[in-house]
Amino acid sequence: MPADPVSSLPSLSTRRLWYLRGVRAAFSIPGLILASAFIGFAGLAKEAGLTLAQTVFMVGMVWALPAKVVLIGAILSGASLPAAAFAVALSSIRLTPMVVALVPELRGPKTPRWVLYFLSHFVAVTSWVLAMERLRGIPRELRTSYYAGLGSTLVLFNMLVTAVVYLVADSLPPAVSAALFLLTPMYFLTSLWGSARERAGHVAMVLGLILGPLLHLVVPGFDLLGAGLIGGGAAFACHRLSRRKAPA
């Protein structure tokens, strides 16, 4: 007699347990480094003239830190709404490969699509790195619960951090804010290096580090795009070449 599909689903208490484990995973060294970057962001937002409500809303809705910095830059430059929206969307395209890589790891045999769409909102470098490191040790039908706890906690906690720092930003030395803000790219680089599963990822990062400053001198407006295209393309070519040379 076939098993009842409803009875085979994890119980609510089991899902709650894994959700809480995801919450606990958010309070880690990577999570604290991310929170330190939002200290600098809160000061930046206040200097740009954003209100407390606008700043906290931006954290929850835009989420990815670079996209928020791009949005504030567009506001300060007086860009139109369509131009600002396009700039933010362009900066967030980099998250598409992360979503493509993460969703198959999250998807269970009966996971509704709307759950995957909702959880995709929480995808950023910190949550992605933590999830990709740990999801394989979690039962597939409980991975969405775990990632929901991880992603929602990171967002809500940093909304709280941003609100508190915004209120006390005037007493925070600018040098401290800048230093804390720079911790995040340093963490991103080391985390992505450590989590890269193939040498091509290391090649792409090294080329990006070399080409970024060089292209900034030549084409300042397209330095990141150029470094990504050239470095990523070269790394992909090296990967394909190494696979062809590998013995069958």
Side-chain angles (χ1 to χ4, degrees), residues 2-248:
D4 184 358
V6 176
S7 62
S8 63
L9 293 175
S11 64
L12 182 60
S13 59
T14 303
R15 289 191 176 276
R16 186 184 300 112
L17 173 64
W18 281 98
Y19 178 89
L20 293 176
R21 289 182 178 178
V23 171
R24 184 175 61 185
F27 293 98
S28 56
I29 297 299
L32 293 176
I33 293 176
L34 179 64
S36 69
F38 275 89
I39 294 175
F41 167 75
L44 177 66
K46 189 167 187 177
E47 290 181 7
L50 272 67
T51 66
L52 174 61
Q54 290 169 340
T55 303
V56 174
F57 180 81
M58 187 185 298
V59 173
M61 293 297 103
V62 181
W63 179 221
L65 191 56
K68 290 193 285 292
V69 175
V70 169
L71 180 55
I72 290 179
I75 293 172
L76 292 175
S77 65
S80 64
L81 181 60
F86 178 76
V88 172
L90 192 63
S91 73
S92 298
I93 289 177
R94 65 191 174 84
L95 299 175
T96 303
M98 296 183 184
V99 175
V100 172
L102 181 62
V103 166
E105 299 291 336
L106 292 175
R107 184 188 295 119
K110 299 177 182 178
T111 305
R113 288 187 177 182
W114 69 266
V115 173
L116 298 174
Y117 294 148
F118 175 72
L119 294 180
S120 296
H121 174 69
F122 299 130
V123 174
V125 174
T126 302
S127 61
W128 185 83
V129 169
L130 288 173
M132 295 300 286
E133 288 178 350
R134 305 179 185 188
L135 281 180
R136 295 192 176 185
I138 299 171
R140 180 166 290 275
E141 64 274 12
L142 294 167
R143 292 178 181 180
T144 52
S145 300
Y146 179 86
Y147 188 72
L150 172 64
S152 63
T153 302
L154 287 173
V155 172
L156 294 173
F157 179 70
N158 284 290
M159 290 174 70
L160 177 62
V161 169
T162 301
V164 172
V165 175
Y166 184 97
L167 296 174
V168 300
D170 294 334
S171 60
L172 194 66
V176 175
S177 298
L180 291 171
F181 196 81
L182 288 174
L183 280 177
T184 296
M186 293 172 61
Y187 160 69
F188 285 174
L189 178 62
T190 55
S191 296
L192 290 174
W193 183 276
S195 63
R197 298 177 180 176
E198 297 177 347
R199 187 173 297 275
H202 295 155
V203 173
M205 282 183 273
V206 170
L207 290 176
L209 288 173
I210 297 172
L211 292 173
L214 295 177
L215 291 177
H216 181 71
L217 298 175
V218 182
V219 281
F222 298 91
D223 47 353
L224 292 178
L225 180 61
L229 289 175
I230 298 173
F236 179 73
C238 291
H239 175 66
R240 292 297 298 269
L241 186 61
S242 64
R243 290 187 64 180
R244 289 181 180 179
K245 291 183 177 181

